[in-house]
Amino acid sequence: MRVLVVGGGMGGTIFANLLARRIQHEMKTGKARITMLSASHEHVYQPGWLYVAMGRATPDELVREQESLLESGIEFHVDPVEEFHLAENHVKCKSGKVHEYDLIVISTGSRPLPEKIPGLKENSINCYTADDAVNFFKQLSDFKGGRVVVTVGLPHKCPMIPLELTFAMHDFIKDRGLLDKTEFYYTYPIGRVHSLENVAKWAAPEFDRMGIKYETLFNMKEVDGKNAEVLSEEGGAVKYDLLVAVPPHKGQEVIEKNGLGENGWIPTHRASLHMEGEHGKNVIILGDTTNLPISKAGSTAHFEAETAAENVAAVIKIGRPVRSYDGKVFCFIEAGKDRATYAMFDYQNPPQPKAPTGAVHAFKMAYNKLYWASARGLL
């Protein structure tokens, strides 16, 4: 079986590594082959940008050579796919090369689009790239006091980042002795402070305790940079001195251009992770690329990849898949510089965040170092 993995992020990398270890014999005897196509030679630990934004990490700590993370035997090419021909079981890359497959795994991720909201890109800071995270740190370090406004677009990846940024900035400003000169104002598009109800029920009292003000049902319409105001679809206006954005996201442009899914999200079966529709039998979707109604988080991609790798190995060995994805997600929630909690949930069980502790924060900091083993599929 020829397995083609498109995308070298967490989902694609973990899937390829787990599958390669499960089918070592088949790969050695030529009965199976794994090829990965990526748009970059680098693999980035994206949750780490939060720590760069707070001056607690540097960008180079969060990057590895993609090929160094892959099991031997996996064929790797930096050659982004431009055309998906699912009916004919092949793709065409930027180089012009055509790759045929028996099974394709699409895990191309998502992209922030601050430009989707007029004025947002020019007048706000975010931490979704290395440059943006460094700029975030510089602007936060130069901040002398005033109103810090957090504005959130949906959907976005890393579901806890609006809360984490707010808590982290609070402690950053507190350590600089500027808390009495600073007002934090958090806005959110729906009728609570987070999309997950139990996370919202936990977070709102934390905001109250820390003196963080919040406004819900606030959907960004535009940013008026001249008057330093964020305007909402509901007719509201919020003044700011420093505007911190969680921009709305879309899937990758190549998914939209090939007509595989609206806004770059591919319709995906919630249990099998196969693409829905005519050609779905030979197509698996992982991570942010799915249209599943669950958080777009690294752990989502991780747990999906485990399910998919076990099933593909089973199909190769015994002719049929053996398990279903249950919607499992696990998200750390940094509640400041030295406390954290977590949200663990699936299709049937909502999250139940506990009081933040230093122990959970220490676990998260350890995981930041262990991530590279996780990408290898060893954790």
Side-chain angles (χ1 to χ4, degrees), residues 123-145:
N123 297 294
S124 68
I125 57 175
N126 71 75
C127 62
Y128 277 104
T129 69
D131 289 343
D132 286 336
V134 170
N135 179 54
F136 193 116
F137 173 66
K138 290 177 179 178
Q139 291 209 37
L140 193 60
S141 298
D142 292 340
F143 183 72
K144 305 301 182 186

Side-chain angles (χ1 to χ4, degrees), residues 330-334 338-343 354-367:
F330 180 98
C331 292
F332 285 103
I333 310 173
E334 289 279 32
D338 54 13
R339 300 183 313 135
T341 184
Y342 62 89
K354 310 299 183 186
T357 67
V360 177
H361 168 73
F363 186 24
K364 174 60 193 298
M365 297 306 290
Y367 178 78

